[in-house]
Amino acid sequence: MRISDLLAIDELGLRLLAGDPEREFGTVHITDLPEPGRYLSGGELVLTGLMWRDTAADSARFVTALVEGGVAALGAGAARLGHVPADLVSACRQAGLPLVEVPVEVSFRTLAELVAPRLSGDVRDALGRHRRLVAALAEGADLRGLFELTAAELGVTGAVLSASGEVVVGTAADPAGLARAYLTAPRLPALAGGATLFAVGRGHRAAGWVLACDGDLLGRADLGYELAACVALERGRLEEGRRVERRLAGQLVAAALADSDAAELNARLRTCGIDADEPYAVVSATAPRPGTPTAPTAPSVLGGRILEELLAREVVAAPVPAEPPQGSGGTAVEGGGRSGGGGAVAVVALRGRSVGELAARLRAGAAVLAALPGTRLSVGVSGALTGAAALKGGVEEAGHARRLAEARDGGVVTSDEIYTHALLLATVPGDVRRSFSDRLLSPLLAYDRRHQSGLVRTLDVFLDCSGSWNACAERLHVHVNTVRYRIRRIEELTGRNLSAMSDRVDFFLALRDTTPPR
């Protein structure tokens, strides 16, 4: 029921003092508690006799509690004060909450009794729509069909998006922008980019879906909630099938790590939708839940769900063993051993795209997810593989790349990056790396601070130029003799010899932990 419909009931004599008269409400709730939030479910018309108001400051607190509770509108009785105070009117205007004055001669009970039959009709209409939508799903309608039906039933258009900005169904002008707004919204539903955002189901936002309805539906939020509930129902149905697919994928990877028979591996690979001669890559991911001490499985499970959404649900991802289990039963255990386990693994058919293109797609989605505070997604991607015999090496390779991403505090790392010193450094504890770097470079850093001499930068450029005096001087825009003087000073301060390869390697590794700007 709309506020304007309520105002049109002549015998009530209500007067709108603030807000949008087209805002809809679904129930009536009467309260004079100063903090009513815990008793609110959202969408109510709250009626209050202002018994909670002692000072003007109380109005702002009360209105804030109503807005946080998702209340649709406020009806204030004039019986106690003889009028609705200006501070309450101001607070409602600032919060965008419709405010209606209820005359002294109208009791809240009378108002509620007049409104109830009208609300019952709205509820019957909503239930009828919901039954038709659920019936369509039961008859096999997919999400596209559901949207077409919804457009006809409710006049609602829009899109369903993953948290990484992938369009699941429908159309959206700026899916990445809407996904970022969903991830950062303190409360849903919310307005963003010309659409109203509703969460689809429950769970971690980084692995969730969002319904973006075109236009402002905050005043008709029940329509968005109806559609979001039906989308969640369809997603739940799809999830049932994906559980079986994840189990098959987990059994494939577990069998590969256990060095199972090639014929068995090829059969399992075909079961997962990849032919024996079809190129594929292995992707491993973790995503710890921010601020929550969890069991080791949690980063794998959440990382796997996020990974599936990043790849538009083309694949499934399952936690894999850290070491090959005895008997290869396909059970997921945790850890980070040499097998590259401890993360969720997906086997991804390349289908004409390169590993670089796959990684670029993952990075684009991860960049959107980074908008969610505390999200630290770490992804490793193997090189291109063919045949089941290559799967074990691919899982190990992706696991190594993922751990390098974890050492970098998240991101997407491909196999090209792990066959360098970076992987070795990533396996060394951070305090050991810092101690090594400080011990070797601290004399140079201290000298630079005292004399503004640039020894550390000269050292870094010198090594980057493979020890060429002339190339280093040209890049630094100094005379070659200046470079010779600085290198000699570096050797004197550190006791090292830069003509010796071992000392050059030590300096190179130390600089990788604290590389200065060039």
Side-chain angles (χ1 to χ4, degrees), residues 26-83:
T27 60
V28 176
H29 181 80
I30 302 172
T31 184
D32 270 302
L33 294 174
E35 295 289 343
R38 71 180 67 181
Y39 303 105
L40 301 173
S41 57
E44 300 97 336
L45 166 64
V46 169
L47 301 178
T48 180
L50 305 178
M51 301 302 293
W52 44 265
R53 184 188 178 278
D54 292 322
T55 68
D58 294 335
S59 293
R61 283 194 292 269
F62 186 75
V63 169
T64 298
L66 297 185
V67 172
E68 290 178 350
V71 166
L74 172 63
R80 181 183 177 221
L81 301 177
H83 65 284

Side-chain angles (χ1 to χ4, degrees), residues 163 182-183 203-209 235 302 305-306 309 369 372:
Y182 158 69
L183 291 170
H204 197 284
R205 282 198 191 187
W209 285 3
R235 190 185 189 193
L302 179 58
R305 300 301 179 270
I306 294 174
E309 295 301 328
L369 290 172
L372 182 62

Side-chain angles (χ1 to χ4, degrees), residues 317-376:
V320 298
E323 301 294 346
Q326 296 298 319
S328 182
T331 302
V333 298
E334 301 307 317
R338 59 177 173 80
S339 70
V345 166
V347 182
V348 185
L350 292 176
R351 296 195 170 94
R353 61 190 167 187
S354 67
V355 170
E357 291 169 331
L358 173 63
R361 180 177 184 179
L362 292 168
R363 289 189 179 103
V368 176
L369 290 172
L372 182 62
T375 301
R376 186 168 64 86

Side-chain angles (χ1 to χ4, degrees), residues 41-419:
S41 57
E44 300 97 336
L45 166 64
V46 169
L47 301 178
T48 180
L50 305 178
M51 301 302 293
W52 44 265
R53 184 188 178 278
D54 292 322
T55 68
D58 294 335
S59 293
R61 283 194 292 269
F62 186 75
V63 169
T64 298
L66 297 185
V67 172
E68 290 178 350
V71 166
L74 172 63
R80 181 183 177 221
L81 301 177
H83 65 284
V84 176
D87 48 82
L88 180 59
V89 177
S90 176
C92 287
R93 282 177 179 159
Q94 291 180 9
L97 182 69
L99 172 63
V100 174
E101 181 183 47
V102 182
V104 174
E105 61 271 15
V106 177
S107 71
F108 290 161
R109 178 178 178 180
T110 299
L111 193 156
E113 288 176 349
L114 283 171
V115 167
R118 293 169 171 82
L119 289 177
S120 297
D122 290 345
V123 170
R124 283 193 295 271
D125 290 344
L127 287 174
R129 288 195 300 267
H130 191 71
R131 289 192 188 100
R132 287 189 290 275
L133 292 171
V134 172
L137 286 173
E139 292 170 2
D142 57 12
L143 280 175
R144 188 172 303 280
L146 178 64
F147 259 70
E148 291 174 354
L149 175 61
T150 303
E153 287 275 351
L154 305 177
V156 174
T157 58
V160 176
L161 311 169
S162 71
S164 60
E166 291 279 348
V167 176
V168 180
V169 67
T171 57
D174 180 17
L178 291 172
R180 289 189 182 94
Y182 158 69
L183 291 170
T184 56
R187 183 181 180 87
L188 294 171
L191 282 174
T196 308
L197 307 181
F198 297 86
V200 174
R202 298 182 180 273
H204 197 284
R205 282 198 191 187
W209 285 3
V210 56
L211 169 64
C213 296
D214 295 333
D216 182 353
L217 283 188
L218 291 181
R220 305 178 65 198
D222 57 313
L223 303 184
Y225 283 127
E226 281 187 49
L227 181 52
C230 288
V231 173
L233 185 65
E234 171 65 359
R235 190 185 189 193
R237 186 182 67 81
L238 296 172
E239 181 65 18
E240 289 300 318
R242 297 182 72 80
R243 287 194 181 97
V244 177
E245 294 175 15
R246 289 188 193 108
R247 185 164 64 249
L248 293 173
Q251 290 171 354
L252 166 65
V253 175
L257 295 177
D259 295 318
S260 297
D261 178 73
E264 176 191 349
L265 290 179
N266 278 312
R268 290 187 181 276
L269 197 62
R270 286 193 298 272
T271 301
C272 293
I274 300 176
D275 292 332
D277 58 350
E278 184 176 3
Y280 64 91
V282 178
V283 183
S284 177
T286 56
R289 293 177 181 266
T292 305
T294 57
T297 55
S300 300
V301 173
L302 179 58
R305 300 301 179 270
I306 294 174
L307 181 58
E308 291 177 0
E309 295 301 328
L310 287 174
L311 295 172
R313 296 153 305 285
E314 295 174 3
V315 299
V316 293
V320 298
E323 301 294 346
Q326 296 298 319
S328 182
T331 302
V333 298
E334 301 307 317
R338 59 177 173 80
S339 70
V345 166
V347 182
V348 185
L350 292 176
R351 296 195 170 94
R353 61 190 167 187
S354 67
V355 170
E357 291 169 331
L358 173 63
R361 180 177 184 179
L362 292 168
R363 289 189 179 103
V368 176
L369 290 172
L372 182 62
T375 301
R376 186 168 64 86
L377 177 67
S378 300
V379 180
V381 186
S382 77
L385 309 167
T386 303
L391 181 57
K392 179 178 180 180
V395 173
E396 294 175 349
E397 197 171 77
H400 292 321
R402 188 204 74 239
R403 282 198 293 275
L404 179 54
E406 291 170 345
R408 294 176 177 176
D409 203 27
V412 179
V413 174
T414 63
S415 61
D416 293 341
E417 299 178 66
I418 67 173
Y419 297 113

